[in-house]
Amino acid sequence: MSDSDGKKTLGLRGGGPRSGQVKQSFSHGRTKNVVVETKRKRVVVPKPGAGKGSGGGAHLGDPSKRPAGISDAEMERRLKALQAAKANEAEDAKQRAEEEKRREEDRQRRREEIEAKEREEREREEAARLKAEEEERQRREAEEAKKRAAAAPAAKEKATAAAAPAAAADAEAPRGGGKPTPRKTDRERDTRDDRPTRNKARDDSRRSGKLTVNQALTGGEGGRQRSMAAMKRKQERMRQKAMGGVESREKVVREVQVPETIVVQELANRMAERSADVVKSLMQMGMMVTQNQSIDVDTAELIVEEFGHKIVRVSDADVEQVIDAIDDKAEDLESRPPVITIMGHVDHGKTSLLDAIRHAKVVAGEAGGITQHIGAYQVKTDGGALLTFLDTPGHAAFTSMRARGAQVTDIVVLVVAADDAVMPQTVEAIHHAKAAGVPMIVAINKCDKPDANPDKVRTDLLQHEVIVEKMSGDVLDVEVSAVTGQGLDELLENIALQAELLDLKANPKRAAQGAVIEAQLDVGRGPVATVLVQNGTLRQGDIFVVGEQWGKVRALINDQGERVSEAGPSVPVEVLGLNGTPEAGDVLNVVETEAQAREIAEYREKAAKEKRAAAGAATTLEQLMANAKQNENVKELPILVKADVQGSAEAIVQAMEKIGNEEVRVRVLHAGVGAITETDIGLAEASGAPVMGFNVRANAPARNAANQKGVEIRYYSVIYDLVDDVKAAASGLLSAEIRETFIGYAEIKEVFKVSNVGKVAGCLVTEGVARRSAGVRLLRDNVVIHEGTLKTLKRFKDEVAEVQSGQECGMAFENYDDIRPGDVIEIFERQEVERTLD
């Protein structure tokens, strides 16, 4: 380093602007000094060699040449510091030189490696080019030898025929006085004339030089050139041709499975042939078809045999062979959570017991506190065990739904109220559990009530061959209370013990298989099915077939409402992505391709349609006459049923079939899922039938059509209310009914949070009038999600009795806060009306 005056500035240890750095140099009298700044103080060191002595410390013995006020010890210490700085500078310079040398060696080594690789690449390309040229030369020599051997007899005859004219020309030449012109033979002329052409063709057919990126992009050197792979294929063909002919590949004979009808494209895929070739073959047979049209099995057999394959005829039922049961290996099996089904009589506290276990309040959202659908939930106990619960409705109309719950369950928990003992639905639940062959645990609920008598429950169970442990039996029984939490830990412990004895295992690595617990048509999400996975793992993107429907898993939603990517054994999930609503109880199977799923679903739909047609048709004339005579004296009550989920619709239809006798019966014209539409109103008008809506509502066009055509629409939220009304109407025992009169509709525009009140809905009354004393229902997408009463009805800041149509108001529900903008509030009044027969 040097400063602006050309004087050297030396750095001490540490270097830089830190301690021991030389800040500046200056002349003090006749002696040049160096300023050294340390951590603690700033000192002045005489510059070495500044005196007249030969050494840097010559001035030590000459006090006259030393700066004033500097002792010998101080001066010696300064000189040592200066010498140390010089040594450090020399060491740093040496290290920098070594580092630069090492870097230069690395650069040289990398250059040599790159050059060696490029040299090897050039040598390899040159060897390949020479080899190709040698093979081309040998091939051409072989072709020339063949041509010469074939042309030798013809050339001899041609030479003999041309000998006479040539001799005559030679004889006439001297007479003409000119010099004879030498003649070339045809072979020489052909050889010499063709040589440039052959060389040019050979040069054009072979790529010369190395292909660069610039040549590939700009099409240099004559445009696009052939690839090395194409050149090798061409040389191989030429070599085989020179050796006596092209060797053809061996034909692969396949066994082609052909059903009764098959699409041409699918047939070509199964034969591994081009679709165009199959279509061409069919056209040669006189059939003008495309690749998307179907042909029968006889025509397909001719095509398969023509292409050299073997046909295997299969029936339509064989399409389901792809979902046959897979034999799981013992090493692939893993433990899975048990599936527990809660069964029992209505109002014995099944859902409340499950709520106490899961610390939730599902019962608050049910109409009348009664479970209307099968619910599937997963619960993690305090001990870490994972349990899957199925909560089945207890009413008699849901017998089939409880039966499906028993079919997929591992353990049945029979809930019996201690103050009510064994009831009819309790007996049905016992029969279902025995038919399913699963172990049973008796939970004696409501033991906290004063009139509870658990011993009476145990005694009544003896009549149905259920002997509990306290009566020397093998059925576990626990006294519980959903209110106080008594016995819940003991119940969970018994469930875990029973599951451990069962040793439940499944293979999560195979294709998924599960059972549909419930299905519904959701506005915005489409068909949604609640599936309990029984084996394998269901993943997002899987293609599956379920009953007469198929689909691809678009989303999986667990019981907490969260989206998940996969669901293993014993996990209940909602599946989105179906093309239609399946039946509750259908089996879901994952298949490999979409074509297989569509084919299986179409076959099942066709088989079910044929079965329904056969069941409803009279096969003989005698049966037709008997049915007509029987129907003469039977009065029918036609109805049309629309429900929110498939299981409820099926249960209502089954309940309707049981109503009636030899004089009257109920006929369900149509049962479907979803809101009531204009099509339903048209069908009801043509048949003179009322429309029964279970937890659904008619949309605006359907309501207008019903008012114009005089079609009655009845809404229900509890199933046995519907059953009782239909039974009363069919039997003629019409008592006073509570009829609902709709007095208005209000739409929620905004939701506000008010202290001490909760959520308040800012509403606009769109139809009729809103009254404080009336009942209300909250509709979301025409589906009832809450029914109750109003806590408040305000107009501005004042509490009012009613609000007219077109006015805005504020409404708050009693014990319910799940309101959203866009929901519709239905206001109605109930009144008793005497019913009479017309």
Side-chain angles (χ1 to χ4, degrees):
M1 291 173 52
S2 64
D3 57 9
S4 60
D5 297 333
K7 304 179 181 62
K8 290 186 179 180
T9 304
L10 302 179
L12 299 181
R13 293 196 181 187
R18 295 185 297 274
S19 63
Q21 181 177 357
V22 177
K23 300 296 288 184
Q24 60 180 334
S25 64
F26 61 94
S27 298
H28 181 74
R30 298 174 59 185
T31 306
K32 294 182 179 179
N33 301 312
V34 178
V35 178
V36 180
E37 192 175 76
T38 63
K39 287 184 179 179
R40 297 185 178 180
K41 61 183 178 179
R42 186 171 181 268
V43 296
V44 178
V45 181
K47 186 174 181 181
K52 292 184 178 181
S54 59
H59 60 280
L60 291 175
D62 191 357
S64 62
K65 297 180 181 180
R66 186 183 307 158
I70 303 299
S71 63
D72 294 344
E74 179 68 17
M75 181 59 83
E76 184 177 359
R77 186 182 62 78
R78 294 184 182 183
L79 286 176
K80 287 182 180 179
L82 189 60
Q83 291 172 0
K86 291 176 64 178
N88 288 338
E89 185 180 11
E91 183 69 21
D92 292 342
K94 182 179 179 182
Q95 291 180 357
R96 285 196 297 272
E98 292 177 354
E99 182 69 22
E100 185 64 27
K101 182 178 179 181
R102 187 165 55 253
R103 291 177 182 173
E104 184 63 28
E105 291 176 354
D106 291 342
R107 285 195 292 269
Q108 182 66 22
R109 185 174 63 257
R110 284 197 295 270
R111 262 197 310 271
E112 291 176 356
E113 291 177 355
I114 294 172
E115 291 176 357
K117 289 182 179 179
E118 291 179 352
R119 187 165 55 254
E120 292 177 0
E121 184 68 21
R122 286 196 299 269
E123 291 176 356
R124 188 162 50 250
E125 291 179 356
E126 183 67 19
R129 186 179 63 80
L130 293 176
K131 183 179 179 181
E133 290 180 356
E134 180 65 20
E135 292 175 351
E136 182 70 13
R137 184 183 63 79
Q138 293 177 0
R139 183 190 64 78
R140 292 190 177 277
E141 288 179 356
E143 290 181 355
E144 289 293 338
K146 282 188 177 182
K147 288 181 180 179
R148 284 196 298 270
K156 186 176 181 180
E157 294 177 0
K158 191 173 182 181
T160 304
D170 291 341
E172 292 176 359
R175 276 198 298 265
K179 188 176 179 180
T181 303
R183 296 179 59 85
K184 294 183 285 186
T185 64
D186 292 341
R187 179 179 176 185
E188 291 175 348
R189 184 171 58 252
D190 294 342
T191 304
R192 293 174 184 174
D193 293 343
D194 292 346
R195 186 181 299 113
T197 305
R198 286 199 303 271
N199 292 338
K200 183 179 180 181
R202 181 169 59 188
D203 293 340
D204 292 341
S205 63
R206 184 173 65 247
R207 188 178 69 191
S208 60
K210 185 178 181 181
L211 180 65
T212 63
V213 176
N214 188 29
Q215 292 175 359
L217 294 177
T218 61
E221 296 188 5
R224 184 177 178 182
Q225 299 180 2
R226 303 183 67 182
S227 64
M228 184 62 72
M231 294 290 293
K232 290 181 178 179
R233 289 194 297 269
K234 182 179 178 181
Q235 292 171 4
E236 183 66 23
R237 288 194 298 269
M238 290 180 178
R239 186 181 302 107
Q240 291 178 357
K241 185 177 180 181
M243 294 174 62
V246 180
E247 181 182 356
S248 61
R249 290 184 300 176
E250 184 180 355
K251 178 73 174 180
V252 178
V253 179
R254 290 178 168 81
E255 290 186 354
V256 183
Q257 294 185 352
V258 181
E260 296 178 1
T261 59
I262 188 171
V263 180
V264 175
Q265 174 74 43
E266 181 65 21
L267 179 62
N269 293 340
R270 295 185 181 186
M271 293 191 301
E273 303 286 351
R274 295 174 63 244
S275 301
D277 295 340
V278 178
V279 173
K280 181 179 179 181
S281 179
L282 287 168
M283 288 183 176
Q284 290 175 353
M285 296 168 57
M287 297 181 63
M288 299 296 142
V289 297
T290 64
Q291 63 179 3
N292 296 323
Q293 290 180 332
S294 299
I295 57 175
D296 57 13
V297 65
D298 296 329
T299 306
E301 183 176 3
L302 296 177
I303 296 298
V304 171
E305 291 177 352
E306 181 178 347
F307 279 88
H309 300 288
K310 297 179 180 179
I311 186 172
V312 178
R313 294 198 181 204
V314 295
S315 62
D316 290 341
D318 293 337
V319 298
E320 293 189 337
Q321 291 181 355
V322 296
I323 58 175
D324 286 344
I326 303 174
D327 294 332
D328 297 321
K329 298 180 180 179
E331 58 268 17
D332 295 335
L333 297 178
E334 298 179 7
S335 299
R336 65 172 178 84
V339 180
I340 302 100
T341 300
I342 308 293
M343 287 187 176
H345 190 70
V346 62
D347 201 27
H348 275 201
K350 300 182 298 299
T351 306
S352 300
L353 181 62
L354 183 58
D355 288 344
I357 294 175
R358 340 186 265 141
H359 306 290
K361 289 192 177 297
V362 176
V363 68
E366 298 288 355
I370 298 169
T371 302
Q372 306 294 327
H373 316 126
I374 288 185
Y377 318 99
Q378 273 204 325
V379 175
K380 192 170 185 179
T381 64
D382 296 337
L386 197 62
L387 309 176
T388 301
F389 283 91
L390 291 184
D391 181 23
T392 59
H395 191 265
F398 290 99
T399 300
S400 60
M401 296 176 68
R402 288 201 309 275
R404 283 198 299 274
Q407 288 170 2
V408 300
T409 191
D410 301 314
I411 301 171
V412 169
V413 175
L414 181 65
V415 179
V416 187
D419 60 342
D420 205 10
V422 177
M423 299 301 287
Q425 278 74 45
T426 309
V427 179
E428 291 182 8
I430 294 172
H431 293 163
H432 288 314
K434 288 184 177 181
V438 294
M440 184 189 309
I441 299 175
V442 178
I444 305 175
N445 197 13
K446 301 184 181 180
C447 289
D448 57 313
K449 289 194 172 183
D451 55 346
N453 189 359
D455 292 333
K456 184 177 183 301
V457 174
R458 298 185 180 96
T459 305
D460 291 348
L461 289 175
L462 291 176
Q463 303 176 7
H464 307 285
E465 300 178 358
V466 178
I467 307 173
V468 299
E469 281 188 339
K470 288 191 176 181
M471 304 193 75
S472 302
D474 56 354
V475 178
L476 298 174
D477 67 308
V478 183
E479 296 181 7
V480 297
S481 173
V483 178
T484 63
Q486 170 191 347
L488 295 182
D489 294 337
E490 185 180 356
L491 177 62
L492 293 177
E493 184 180 347
N494 288 338
I495 292 174
L497 176 62
Q498 190 68 58
E500 186 177 353
L501 293 176
L502 293 175
D503 192 21
L504 303 171
K505 291 186 177 181
N507 181 12
K509 300 178 182 178
R510 55 166 287 178
Q513 178 182 352
V516 176
I517 303 300
E518 194 53 271
Q520 60 181 334
L521 185 62
D522 193 336
V523 177
R525 297 194 301 171
V528 180
T530 302
V531 177
L532 178 67
V533 181
Q534 295 173 296
N535 211 346
T537 302
L538 184 62
R539 296 179 176 85
Q540 188 171 344
D542 284 348
I543 299 171
F544 62 88
V545 58
V546 49
E548 301 174 22
Q549 312 298 334
W550 66 278
K552 184 177 182 180
V553 179
R554 193 171 73 239
L556 296 174
I557 302 173
N558 63 8
D559 59 324
Q560 304 295 328
E562 303 168 348
R563 294 190 64 161
V564 294
S565 59
E566 61 180 25
S570 302
V571 177
V573 287
E574 278 189 340
V575 179
L576 279 69
L578 294 97
N579 70 327
T581 307
E583 298 288 336
D586 286 341
V587 178
L588 180 143
N589 294 98
V590 173
V591 296
E592 294 181 358
T593 63
E594 186 177 313
Q596 290 178 346
R598 187 185 296 108
E599 193 175 5
I600 295 171
E602 289 175 355
Y603 162 71
R604 290 179 176 176
E605 183 178 4
K606 179 181 176 182
K609 191 179 297 183
E610 292 177 352
K611 184 178 180 181
R612 287 191 294 267
T619 56
T620 63
L621 182 60
E622 289 78 8
Q623 291 178 351
L624 185 62
M625 294 296 292
N627 291 339
K629 186 176 181 180
Q630 182 181 0
N631 294 334
E632 285 180 358
N633 300 324
V634 177
K635 294 180 180 180
E636 289 185 345
L637 175 63
I639 63 172
L640 191 142
V641 177
K642 293 300 287 290
D644 56 342
V645 294
Q646 188 68 39
S648 298
E650 182 182 351
I652 292 171
V653 172
Q654 291 180 356
M656 295 299 103
E657 291 175 352
K658 297 178 181 179
I659 298 175
N661 50 26
E662 60 276 359
E663 295 181 1
V664 63
R665 67 182 180 186
V666 179
R667 182 163 64 95
V668 180
L669 298 175
H670 171 68
V673 176
I676 300 172
T677 62
E678 284 186 281
T679 305
D680 301 326
I681 301 301
L683 177 60
E685 181 199 15
S687 306
V691 180
M692 306 293 183
F694 183 76
N695 275 339
V696 295
R697 289 295 180 270
N699 52 30
R703 287 200 303 268
N704 297 334
N707 293 333
Q708 293 174 2
K709 299 176 181 179
V711 176
E712 182 182 11
I713 302 177
R714 294 192 179 187
Y715 300 123
Y716 298 91
S717 56
V718 179
I719 190 171
Y720 54 73
D721 289 345
L722 187 154
V723 174
D724 293 343
D725 281 358
V726 174
K727 187 181 296 184
S731 61
L733 301 176
L734 302 178
S735 58
E737 71 165 342
I738 298 177
R739 180 170 296 176
E740 292 180 357
T741 303
F742 298 104
I743 61 174
Y745 286 89
E747 183 178 359
I748 299 178
K749 296 296 185 181
E750 192 57 60
V751 179
F752 306 94
K753 289 186 177 180
V754 180
S755 59
N756 300 328
V757 178
K759 289 187 178 180
V760 176
C763 305
L764 174 66
V765 180
T766 56
E767 291 182 31
V769 63
R771 290 197 179 96
R772 172 72 177 81
S773 59
V776 290
R777 291 192 184 96
L778 185 64
L779 309 181
R780 187 170 297 159
D781 295 330
N782 289 323
V783 176
V784 179
I785 61 173
H786 175 70
E787 179 179 347
T789 58
L790 289 178
K791 180 165 56 176
T792 181
L793 177 63
K794 289 191 176 184
R795 173 82 174 144
F796 298 107
K797 293 184 178 180
D798 302 324
E799 188 79 21
V800 295
E802 67 178 30
V803 179
Q804 298 295 327
S805 175
Q807 296 180 349
E808 295 181 348
C809 62
M811 296 184 186
F813 292 85
E814 194 79 34
N815 300 325
Y816 192 79
D817 283 338
D818 186 15
I819 53 179
R820 303 177 188 175
D823 291 350
V824 176
I825 300 175
E826 184 182 78
I827 305 104
F828 61 94
E829 289 182 345
R830 289 190 175 98
Q831 56 182 347
E832 290 189 2
V833 179
E834 294 294 334
R835 302 169 64 187
T836 58
L837 290 173
D838 296 334

